Structures are given as C-alpha cells and as structure tokens.
Amino acid sequence: MKEEEDGPPNRELYALLHISPDASDEEVRKSYRQWAQIYHPDKIQAPHMKDAATENFQRYVKLMRYCQMRIKGRYMTFMEQQKVSAHFLPSGTILANMSLPHFLHGQGFMRGMAMTSSVQSQISKRNTLSIGGNVAVNGNTGGGGDCCFCASAFSSFFHRFVGSTGLRALLGVQTSRHLSQHLTATMGLALSLRDGSLNLSNMWTRQLSETASGNIELALGSDSSIAVGWQKKEHKSSASGQLKVGISSFEASANYTHRFSKKSHGHLEGKIGSHALVIEVGGGRKLSKFSAVRMLYSIGIQGIFWKLELHRGGQKLIIPILLSRHLNPVFATGAFLVPTSLYFLAKETDDRCYVGGVLKMIEIHLQPYYLKREKQKALENMERTSAKVQEARAAAEKAKQLLQNVANRKQKRQQEIGGLVITKALYGSVKALKKRDEPVESNDDLASQFIDVALPLNFLVSDDGQLKLHEGVKKSGIMGFCDPCPGEPKQLYVEYTYGGNRYEVVVHDYAELLIPREEHRI
C-alpha cells in the first residue's frame, strides 16, 4: 500500500507523536495534546516563525481525525482500507473439466463443470454483505447450493457471519483481532446442518518482516488438523509453503512465482501428501489492465494435465485438460515440450517471414526513439523525486527552527549536569553513512544522501537524560527529519556524550534506539 495515496498511515502518526505502535489510548491522547501545543501558531511569538508553525501544525490537523478514531478504540480494518469503485462487486469462477482419453474412446470431451458466483455490497462503512451460489455437474450427477455472509468491523474486532445451504449446509461465525502491531488472531466456529458436527478453528498470523509473514492454524472437529504456513512477497517474486498434519492425513505444499516483467510471470508449485503428489509448472501474461491468461503443465498421481486460465476482473475461466492417466515418461516429456516448442517455432517462423522481417526492421528503426522516450521518462521521474526531496528538506528545516530554542535549552542543561548531549547525528543512505568521515564540502552527491538531525534528537532528550526512538516507526516521519534518498535502505548514526565520555551508535530505519548505553562507549 502506498502511504501517500491511502491517507494518514499508522507509521506517520507514531513518528509525529513520538510514541510506540503499542501505545495505550491515554499515551496517544497525552502525546497529541503535547505536540499540538508545541506547534500551534498561537504559541509562537516570533512573527517570522508563524508560517513554519502553521505549516507543521497542519500535519497534525490532517491526522486529528485518525487520532480521534484511535483514541476511541477504532482500528482501520482491511475492509475499511479497501477502495471500492462501485457499490456491488461481482465475482465468479467457471471450471470446465476436459478429458482427452474419454474423447478418444468416444465418450465426449467434457467430463464435468462447476460454477460459482457471488456479489458483494458495501452496505455501510463497517458492514459488507455478500450473496452467492454454486452448481456442480460431474457425469450424470450434480448438485448446487447458495451462501450468504455478512462482515462487520467495530471496535478492535472484525466479525464475519456465514450461512449456506445445499452441498455444504452450515452456520458459522468468525472473529479477528489485532493483538499487537505484528500479531493477529482469528477464531472460527461452524455448525454443519447436515450431520450436526461442530468445527472450531484458531489461526495466529505474525508479520515476520515487511515482506514475510507466518501462521499457525489449529482445527478441531470431524477432521482435526494443525497447519504451519509461511508467505513472502517481494517486488519481483513471491513464495509460500505449508505443512498440514491431520488425524488421518498429512500434506506439504510450496509454490514460487517470479515476475519477469510487468506483464509476464513464471510459476512453480509442488504438493505431496496422503492423497496428493503433483508438480505444476507454467506461466502467465497480462493482456490488459483487467485481464490475464495462464497456462500450466501438471503431472502427478492423478495423471498429466494442461490447465488454461483466463482472468478478467473478478471472473475466472479455468479449463483443466486431462491428457493421460498413465505416467509414461515419453508422453510426459512430450506434453511438456510440445507447447514450449510451438511457442519458439512460431516466434522463429515469424522472424523469417516477410511480415516478421518488416516488423523487425520497424522495431530496429524505432528503437532509438523508444530508448530516448524511456530515458526522458527516467529523467522526469528523477526530477520529480528530487523536487519532492528538496521540498521535504525545506519542511524539515522549518521544523528545526521551531525546535531550536527548546533544543538549545535542553542541550545546555544536559551539559551542565553531565547528562546526554547529541554531538552529531546523521540520517540517510547506508552507503553514504559509511563515508560520513569524508569532507562533505567536496562531495555534493554524498551530502545529498543524508540529513543532519542532531537538533531534533536533542529536542527529544528527556529531562532525566534519556532518548528513545521506538521500534517499527520509520524515522523520516519524526519532526525535523525527512527522507533524503527515497527507495534506498537508511540508517541513523549518532555520536553523543554522557558523564564526560564519548559514545556512538548506528541503527537501522525501523530499529529501536535507546541511549545512553555502555556498549556504545568509544
């Protein structure tokens, strides 16, 4: 999620108020009052500082509504964060099973079909209603059903109520709660209307890093099991895995997806267990903003398959084609190589034909134009980024002006009692901070990669000579700070004196900083 587009995020609130993400409601309220008074324009006597105070105070005004929601115990849930383009969001899946062996024996190509469809409506800010149905046909038998669920978010909980009839007749309720910044617990209870069985599920999900999360799920009922899972999603790849052990079964699965470009990706998946042994490999391509196509090759104990998928908005068309139930090595190799070979053969033939040659010549002639256009876009992006950084630096300097008098008084007081004094503090690029001892005047590029933050840190020193920056809060959001190098990993380097001794420490962007500490002593 882009913080700039989705409104005031938690991290900005915590950084501006200088509080922990786990702060209590009273701590949030107290810090908000304190900082709002510091930056209120009416509190500033110097005329030339009025504009700077007004500008910084507006940041708190923008966060006021969110802060009040936080104080009342309301947390932004996933349902509240989503931006929907319409009141009704339809979705559906069509699954058409094909069989080549049955077709060769004169029994027809299609062996079964299943359809599911639902429509979701945001009936209020906190409540969502979804109604759907499903039908399945396999040979001469079939069945169907319908379901309805209502999701509601209030206080710090998220609740979901489910009811369905037909193939899976049940009533259920599910509730989720954020136990901490990185830990979420979900509990579900379902009653089967067919046999009266009761099923209980508990799942704990923890954010392991900015890109990875793990979960543990415990299910008690007719098919009790325990499952441990892991997911990681990065810019160019995503991976996940799960190990599930039940009373009479077990299953282990893993998958990996790599994005070769904005439009194409490759996919590899494997599954092994009591009732499954399958390897699936393939890839897909984005056709337009809302549609994409995928082709997968699957081999396992159930046979050899080709699977075609078409995704369009919330609609999916999935066509698994059974090629053979016998795992013949020659046939399996051919089934894998045939579509791959056809692709490269078609590409080579197109390159040799006249039309392909003409297109190739056009492409060669237009290549300098495309390169020039891409270079121009890159330069424009760099200029926009540079302008934003300069604007952020200017805002940080204005904030420092507001903090300067108080920071100087605190620094003088700490010097008199031999307390904590920040003598040097730099925040910026990890690479640039490694060269911090080089003369800044002779290297403008180096100077642009970090910002001097000694003054705002002296301002944050408490009366008892302590300084704490909370874990999980991005330091660029602190008043007097800014992000001098967007997109790059950053660190904070601090030199300080305490009790007549010199200290230094380096911490990462989201890491906790607590000083003074004896292990920092030089």
Side-chain angles (χ1 to χ4, degrees):
M1 182 180 70
K2 294 182 181 180
E3 294 180 353
E4 293 81 358
E5 294 178 2
D6 290 344
N10 297 6
R11 295 190 187 279
E12 184 181 355
L13 174 69
Y14 300 139
L16 284 175
L17 298 185
H18 191 55
I19 55 175
S20 166
D22 298 323
S24 66
D25 293 345
E26 180 58 32
E27 290 173 322
V28 174
R29 184 183 294 107
K30 180 180 178 181
S31 182
Y32 180 83
R33 286 199 301 263
Q34 175 187 349
W35 286 94
Q37 289 178 359
I38 290 174
Y39 288 107
H40 200 288
D42 294 342
K43 301 289 184 181
I44 307 300
Q45 300 299 326
H48 67 283
M49 298 298 295
K50 289 282 186 179
D51 291 341
T54 302
E55 183 176 331
N56 282 280
F57 183 72
Q58 286 175 351
R59 296 181 66 185
Y60 286 92
V61 173
K62 290 178 181 179
L63 288 170
M64 183 179 297
R65 186 174 181 181
Y66 178 84
C67 183
Q68 291 171 343
M69 291 166 55
R70 170 64 173 85
I71 291 172
K72 293 176 182 178
R74 288 190 55 203
Y75 291 79
M76 296 292 283
T77 67
F78 176 75
M79 296 300 296
E80 289 176 309
Q81 291 171 356
Q82 277 194 317
K83 291 184 175 181
V84 293
S85 57
H87 293 291
F88 294 95
L89 299 178
S91 63
T93 301
I94 300 177
L95 175 67
N97 289 301
M98 309 291 184
S99 174
L100 182 61
H102 286 82
F103 176 75
L104 296 176
H105 288 85
Q107 299 176 11
F109 193 37
M110 181 172 289
R111 301 305 302 163
M113 178 175 282
M115 298 177 63
T116 63
S117 182
S118 66
V119 59
Q120 178 177 301
S121 174
Q122 193 82 25
I123 56 180
S124 70
K125 266 190 174 181
R126 298 184 180 182
N127 300 299
T128 302
L129 179 66
S130 180
I131 299 175
N134 60 80
V135 61
V137 178
N138 188 10
N140 296 323
T141 62
D146 53 70
C147 66
C148 174
F149 78 81
C150 179
S152 178
F154 59 91
S155 184
S156 57
F157 290 88
F158 176 75
H159 300 291
R160 187 180 183 212
F161 306 92
V162 182
S164 66
T165 60
L167 297 175
R168 293 186 61 195
L170 58 86
L171 292 174
V173 61
Q174 186 183 73
T175 181
S176 298
R177 177 177 172 82
H178 293 286
L179 302 180
S180 69
Q181 181 192 7
H182 302 292
L183 183 63
T184 302
T186 302
M187 184 180 73
L189 184 66
L191 172 66
S192 174
L193 301 180
R194 301 188 66 181
D195 56 14
S197 62
L198 197 63
N199 295 276
L200 176 67
S201 64
N202 285 279
M203 184 169 70
W204 296 268
T205 303
R206 182 171 182 82
Q207 195 73 26
L208 305 176
S209 68
E210 289 191 0
T211 60
S213 64
N215 64 78
I216 300 176
E217 183 174 7
L218 175 64
L220 300 175
S222 57
D223 188 16
S224 299
S225 64
I226 183 170
V228 179
W230 169 84
Q231 304 86 33
K232 185 171 185 177
K233 187 174 183 179
E234 296 180 331
H235 178 64
K236 292 224 170 192
S237 63
S238 61
S240 66
Q242 185 184 64
L243 177 62
K244 183 177 181 180
V245 179
I247 296 177
S248 58
S249 64
F250 81 94
E251 182 179 282
S253 62
N255 70 74
Y256 175 77
T257 300
H258 185 83
R259 280 167 283 282
F260 303 111
S261 67
K262 291 182 178 180
K263 292 188 175 182
S264 62
H265 70 272
H267 181 77
L268 177 64
E269 183 172 350
K271 185 182 294 184
I272 184 173
S274 306
H275 310 293
L277 176 60
V278 62
I279 297 176
E280 194 170 80
V281 60
R285 185 171 182 82
K286 193 173 182 179
L287 303 178
S288 66
K289 185 177 180 180
F290 300 104
S291 60
V293 63
R294 287 212 309 175
M295 181 170 183
L296 302 167
Y297 169 80
S298 175
I299 180 170
I301 58 175
Q302 293 184 341
I304 302 171
F305 289 83
W306 283 342
K307 185 189 291 185
L308 304 176
E309 297 182 6
L310 177 62
H311 299 243
R312 172 70 181 177
Q315 311 298 322
K316 297 179 184 178
L317 173 62
I318 303 175
I319 307 176
I321 304 175
L322 174 63
L323 303 177
S324 174
R325 291 197 178 276
H326 305 288
L327 301 182
N328 185 295
V330 177
F331 186 84
T333 304
F336 175 73
L337 293 178
V338 167
T340 308
S341 301
L342 289 175
Y343 170 78
F344 287 108
L345 181 63
K347 186 175 185 301
E348 183 178 354
T349 303
D350 182 64
D351 288 341
R352 290 179 178 178
C353 71
Y354 175 77
V355 176
V358 172
L359 293 176
K360 195 71 175 179
M361 291 177 62
I362 295 174
E363 181 181 351
I364 292 173
H365 284 289
L366 290 179
Q367 189 173 15
Y369 166 75
Y370 287 123
L371 290 175
K372 182 179 179 181
R373 190 175 64 176
E374 291 299 320
K375 185 177 180 180
Q376 182 65 28
K377 286 183 179 179
L379 289 173
E380 291 175 356
N381 289 334
M382 289 177 61
E383 291 174 357
R384 283 195 295 267
T385 302
S386 177
K388 289 182 179 179
V389 170
Q390 293 302 321
E391 183 180 346
R393 280 181 174 270
E397 291 301 320
K398 290 182 179 179
K400 288 180 185 179
Q401 294 175 19
L402 294 172
L403 303 176
Q404 186 170 9
N405 291 336
V406 177
N408 290 342
R409 287 200 300 268
K410 285 189 174 184
Q411 183 176 353
K412 184 178 180 180
R413 171 60 179 164
Q414 291 296 321
Q415 287 174 339
E416 292 173 351
I417 63 176
L420 175 61
V421 177
I422 310 298
T423 57
K424 183 178 182 180
L426 302 174
Y427 172 70
S429 165
V430 174
K431 295 180 180 179
L433 289 179
K434 291 180 180 179
K435 304 177 182 179
R436 57 181 175 269
D437 294 330
E438 296 183 6
V440 174
E441 293 79 5
S442 61
N443 194 336
D444 294 337
D445 184 60
L446 180 66
S448 67
Q449 295 297 302
F450 55 78
I451 181 174
D452 184 353
V453 291
L455 191 146
L457 288 186
N458 275 311
F459 177 85
L460 295 174
V461 173
S462 62
D463 293 337
D464 57 353
Q466 301 283 327
L467 173 62
K468 181 177 182 179
L469 301 184
H470 299 283
E471 181 182 6
V473 178
K474 191 174 182 180
K475 294 174 177 57
S476 62
I478 300 172
M479 277 296 184
F481 282 59
C482 73
D483 189 345
C485 46
E488 294 187 24
K490 286 169 280 293
Q491 288 181 334
L492 173 64
Y493 170 77
V494 181
E495 289 182 11
Y496 62 95
T497 61
Y498 183 79
N501 298 312
R502 294 179 61 244
Y503 302 80
E504 69 174 359
V505 61
V506 178
V507 293
H508 290 286
D509 204 4
Y510 289 93
E512 180 186 61
L513 174 64
L514 185 59
I515 56 176
R517 281 290 182 267
E518 187 60 30
E519 56 265 29
H520 303 159
R521 187 171 177 177
I522 301 175

